[in-house]
């Protein structure tokens, strides 16, 4: 029964809107930042990947009554303690609509924290690093393979093919990899590259943001407080940005988008994800100094 607006960039907006609709929400519209010309280019070549084309068609039919606006984006949300209105832009015009929630996503970024902790080399084709692998999914660390989104956002098909290749190589060597897996990976990665080319922003620079835009939610650090700082280390020292409960897992991506280095001082220390005190206390009560699954 709630009214939601979905906005951002990429095909996942359709999936998010369909999920909301299945759970009873009324989706007011989808605001896609990508211009119409690039969307048409993407659709023109989509039949090369029949499975993806079928998925897209099924989602669009499910959302047939939902307005899909290209060259459109959310500018601001208003409300007292909750979202009550959203202002969005379509082309050069602006509108405000009453709603109960807004879902905004600008895409996905690789999670490389475990690979970084293991010492695997990374590469940065854009602002967000990914794990560097060879043609057999081997990283720079002997015995460590990587597959899927850590090697660059590519979706389920990439992950399945690369995971199978890595498994074959780890278990029996390069000669054990079926040629069909290599073809599947090449086909899946070609789609990922085409998707990125069509939906990535033409410019990596963001439009002018208000000075009071909140960057670090944990420490209440605004954009104005980060002006003039060169990297994440300076941001931590000057503002405590990235030093709150999430340890930079949220604002680190935002800082990278703003041109600040996402990670300062090397890899994060374990545990990679926050743990409850009672969980750690339970581990410490064990008589085995190195129990299975314990943090060392």
């Amino acid at each position: 029964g709630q009214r939601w607006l979905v906005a951002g960039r990429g095909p996942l907006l359709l999936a998010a809107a369909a999920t909301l609709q299945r759970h009873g929400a009324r989706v007011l519209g989808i605001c896609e930042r990508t211009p119409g010309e690039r969307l048409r280019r993407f659709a023109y070549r989509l039949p090369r990947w029949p499975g993806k084309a079928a998925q897209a068609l099924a989602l669009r039919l499910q959302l047939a009554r939902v307005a899909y606006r290209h060259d459109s984006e959310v500018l601001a949300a208003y409300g007292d303690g909750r979202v009550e209105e959203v202002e969005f832009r379509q082309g050069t015009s602006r509108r405000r609509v009453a709603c109960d929630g807004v879902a905004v996503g600008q895409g996905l970024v690789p999670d490389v924290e475990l690979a970084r902790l293991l010492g695997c080399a990374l590469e940065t084709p854009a602002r967000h690093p990914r794990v560097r692998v060879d043609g057999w999914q081997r990283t720079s660390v002997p015995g460590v393979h990587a597959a899927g989104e850590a090697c660059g956002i590519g979706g389920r098909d990439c992950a399945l093919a690369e995971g199978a290749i890595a498994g074959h190589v780890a278990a029996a060597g390069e000669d054990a990899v079926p040629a069909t897996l290599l073809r599947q990976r090449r086909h899946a990665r070609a789609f990922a590259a085409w998707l990125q080319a069509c939906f990535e922003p033409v410019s990596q620079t963001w439009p002018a943001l208000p000075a009071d835009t909140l960057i670090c939610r944990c420490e209440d650090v605004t954009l104005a407080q980060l002006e003039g700082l060169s990297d994440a280390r300076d941001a931590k020292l000057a503002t405590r940005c990235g030093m709150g409960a999430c340890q930079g897992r949220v604002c680190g991506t935002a800082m990278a988008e703003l041109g600040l280095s996402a990670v300062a001082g090397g890899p994060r220390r374990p545990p990679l994800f926050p743990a409850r005190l009672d969980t750690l206390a339970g581990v410490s009560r064990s008589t085995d100094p190195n129990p299975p699954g314990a943090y060392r």
Side-chain angles (χ1 to χ4, degrees), residues 29-170:
I30 300 172
C31 297
E32 167 64 62
R33 287 188 67 191
T34 306
E37 180 184 350
R38 297 177 77 179
L39 290 174
R40 288 188 289 271
R41 282 175 49 207
F42 175 74
Y44 178 75
R45 289 190 60 185
L46 194 56
R48 180 182 171 190
W49 298 273
K52 301 296 184 184
Q55 289 177 9
L57 181 60
L59 285 171
R60 199 65 196 95
L61 288 175
Q62 182 180 340
L63 300 165
R65 297 184 178 181
V66 177
Y68 185 89
R69 305 177 178 91
H70 59 78
D71 190 19
S72 177
E73 62 182 329
V74 165
L75 301 175
Y78 304 93
D80 184 9
R82 54 180 291 275
V83 175
E84 297 174 355
E85 277 191 321
V86 169
E87 181 182 4
F88 68 91
R89 172 194 65 81
Q90 183 174 14
T92 57
S93 63
R94 296 189 176 197
R95 285 182 56 192
R96 283 176 71 152
V97 295
C99 65
D100 302 298
V102 56
V104 182
Q106 303 295 346
L108 305 173
V109 296
D111 185 347
V112 298
E113 294 306 329
L114 180 58
R116 195 192 300 270
L117 188 66
L118 294 171
C120 300
L122 306 178
E123 57 186 9
T124 310
R127 287 184 173 172
H128 304 282
R130 65 188 182 194
V131 182
R132 191 179 72 204
V133 294
D134 64 10
W136 307 106
Q137 303 302 134
R138 293 178 296 212
T139 70
S140 61
V141 177
V144 177
H145 295 69
E149 309 291 60
C151 305
I153 302 303
R156 180 186 62 183
D157 294 343
C158 284
L160 289 172
E162 292 172 356
I165 292 170
H168 279 294
V169 173

